[in-house]
Amino acid sequence: MKVKGEKQESSSSNEGSKGKMTVVLASVALVSAFGSSFQYGYNVSVINSPAPYMQDFYNLTYLNRNDKPIESAFLTLLWSLTVSMFPLGGFFGSLMVWPLVNNCGRKGTLLINNLLSIAAAILMGTSELAKTFEVIIISRVVMGIFAGLASNVVPMFLGEMAPRNLRGAIGVVPQLFITVGILVAQILGLNSILGNAEGWPVLLGLTGIPSLIQLLILPFFPESPRYLLIQKGDEEQARKALQRLRGRDDVDDEIEEMRQEDRSEREEGQFTVLSLCTYRGLRWQLISIIVMMMGQQLSGVNGVFYYADRIFQSAGVEENSVQYVTVSIGAVNVVMTLLAVFIVESLGRRILLLAGFGLCCVSCAVLTLALNLQTTVSWMSYLSIVCVILYIIGHAIGASPIPFVMITEMFLQSSRPAAFMVGGSVHWLSNFTVGLVFLYMEAGLGPYSFLIFCAICLASVIYIFFVVPETKNKTFMEINKIMAKRNKVEIQEDKEELKDFHTVSGGQAEKKSVSSSEL
């Protein structure tokens, strides 16, 4: 028995790390990211362009009902609600992650979620005909709940399906589709396309189409094998799902790795958020994802996008052309996130996180200087454009995509749903906070508000440098062992498994010693 275990362990270090990108794996990544993550990005930026026309509609509707025009303060309140209900819905969506993914599975949750998006799209698309603006605000909450679920469930679903040597690359795909969604919304929102008085209901309603496509296609793809084996105890279905995803019949090595994870966790059972927060063995993992998620949202990405138009206008770009410049920034965002997909496995997560937050930190510092001096020094406005582009690059390669990859990798099956729920809630609450506070900050501090973002980026860099380990090409159990040392806890394992573990000599053992020394 022991000999067999040794063979399986050593074969897992060789074969398991050589998972190929199969057609099924690529298709499921594209379908789930297009049907869910894409719409998160789309709805983040879809109301920016048609804002004046939508406000006119609010005013006209109010006028028809009450025979007097809307007060500007009330209109501002309604518009603030329209914008801010989306991240607030995202927060509520994150709170639903744990019960849904544990009861309905990862795939089942995505399919149920699509119904929310389709309903909201129909309501928003027909709001002008129905002459009601309240429906738009309610639909923004519903789309927020959809995005809150999608932003957590898609990375979890894909991270559990991917072989470990492709986990980072496939984990960045949802973020890639978020940036594509932002870009598509910016392009369709151009005044000449749908960003006008007639086109905005269509622009808002289009969000239902990706959901409809996903609802029709995703049922033909397998559920997460880890969910089937570890949470459902259905090894036969898990094996079938893995065989389809890997494109080969021999998946014993990965099944064995899942069994090992299952045995190691059986005593703890499923973690709730409360038990996750109080469990010492996952303390540093939890702190790390909270820091990375707060860093991701509080590093000022919304502020930079908000300021971008003004920065370009002050550099001499004409007002009519600014929207095309915004589109080009969206394109830079997509291209750099696409680059992250290809480099995350060769460079590793740590380097991208440090480089990304580091670049954002420097950009914010220089941007503060450039914005303050641009009235006196003519070329400073061009420097601020360079800072905006560098900031977007930094955020796209590290700060945006990698934290979600890290949640998948730093937690095992029993604690992962609760971890995504915590990480997702922090993500959306921080997003909501920035949206709420930034306008006041900008009014009070002006360009100096970027120094606050600079400090947050610097704090994130320092924390990541000292605490967050490299996780590329390691199994979930190996990552758990690295973090167990930091948490100063012993991992419960069978004696036989420990023997198997120690007998893996050579490459894997070396890798482990390197990773622990990295800490």
Side-chain angles (χ1 to χ4, degrees), residues 480-495:
N480 202 37
K481 287 185 176 73
I482 294 170
M483 292 309 287
K485 285 179 191 161
R486 184 165 285 289
N487 289 317
K488 297 183 173 56
V489 292
E490 290 294 316
I491 293 180
Q492 297 299 312
E493 285 182 292
D494 304 351
K495 281 180 184 160

Side-chain angles (χ1 to χ4, degrees), residues 136-170:
I136 295 177
I137 295 172
I138 293 164
S139 299
R140 289 284 291 173
V141 181
V142 176
M143 276 318 300
I145 293 171
F146 168 88
L149 276 165
S151 64
N152 292 299
V153 179
V154 178
M156 188 193 308
F157 182 48
L158 297 183
E160 289 179 7
M161 284 187 157
R164 66 182 186 196
N165 62 313
L166 295 173
R167 212 165 45 216
I170 287 177

Side-chain angles (χ1 to χ4, degrees), residues 282-510:
L282 293 169
R283 185 173 298 161
W284 281 104
Q285 286 96 312
L286 190 66
I287 295 170
S288 297
I289 61 155
I290 290 172
V291 168
M292 286 190 283
M293 281 298 172
M294 287 180 77
Q296 181 197 61
Q297 289 300 315
L298 301 179
S299 58
V301 65
N302 300 7
V304 170
F305 270 114
Y306 171 80
Y307 245 93
D309 289 4
R310 233 183 294 179
I311 289 167
F312 285 108
Q313 276 177 348
S314 65
V317 177
E318 288 175 27
E319 206 166 322
N320 296 338
S321 309
V322 165
Q323 54 178 349
Y324 297 104
V325 175
T326 311
V327 168
S328 60
I329 289 182
V332 169
N333 204 0
V334 172
V335 171
M336 295 317 296
T337 311
L338 185 61
L339 178 67
V341 172
F342 292 105
I343 61 176
V344 67
E345 293 302 351
S346 52
L347 292 181
R349 288 66 159 145
R350 229 175 102 86
I351 298 285
L352 289 185
L353 280 169
L354 292 170
F357 277 114
L359 202 52
C360 291
C361 176
V362 174
S363 303
C364 283
V366 180
L367 189 58
T368 310
L369 182 75
L371 289 172
N372 275 304
L373 295 177
Q374 67 182 19
T375 45
T376 48
V377 185
S378 59
W379 53 269
M380 277 295 172
S381 52
Y382 299 106
L383 181 62
S384 52
I385 290 180
V386 172
C387 287
V388 167
I389 292 167
L390 283 177
Y391 180 93
I392 300 293
I393 290 172
H395 221 273
I397 60 166
S400 284
I402 309 298
F404 279 110
V405 175
M406 296 299 277
I407 301 184
T408 307
E409 296 191 323
M410 286 177 124
F411 292 88
L412 296 178
Q413 197 72 16
S414 60
S415 51
R416 194 174 292 124
F420 263 103
M421 197 160 142
V422 172
S425 303
V426 171
H427 170 97
W428 287 99
L429 269 182
S430 304
N431 187 323
F432 180 66
T433 307
V434 170
L436 216 57
V437 173
F438 182 73
L439 288 176
Y440 296 104
M441 245 170 68
E442 199 263 325
L445 297 170
Y448 291 106
S449 47
F450 284 104
L451 283 180
I452 295 174
F453 298 140
C454 176
I456 290 168
C457 290
L458 184 62
S460 304
V461 167
I462 293 167
Y463 180 89
I464 290 161
F465 184 78
F466 286 108
V467 178
V468 177
E470 181 52 77
T471 56
K472 80 166 181 182
N473 219 2
K474 292 184 174 66
T475 65
F476 292 128
M477 285 301 292
E478 288 167 7
I479 297 162
N480 202 37
K481 287 185 176 73
I482 294 170
M483 292 309 287
K485 285 179 191 161
R486 184 165 285 289
N487 289 317
K488 297 183 173 56
V489 292
E490 290 294 316
I491 293 180
Q492 297 299 312
E493 285 182 292
D494 304 351
K495 281 180 184 160
E496 188 191 319
E497 270 178 59
L498 274 171
K499 277 182 191 157
D500 292 347
F501 185 72
H502 287 307
T503 50
V504 184
S505 56
Q508 218 171 338
E510 272 171 39

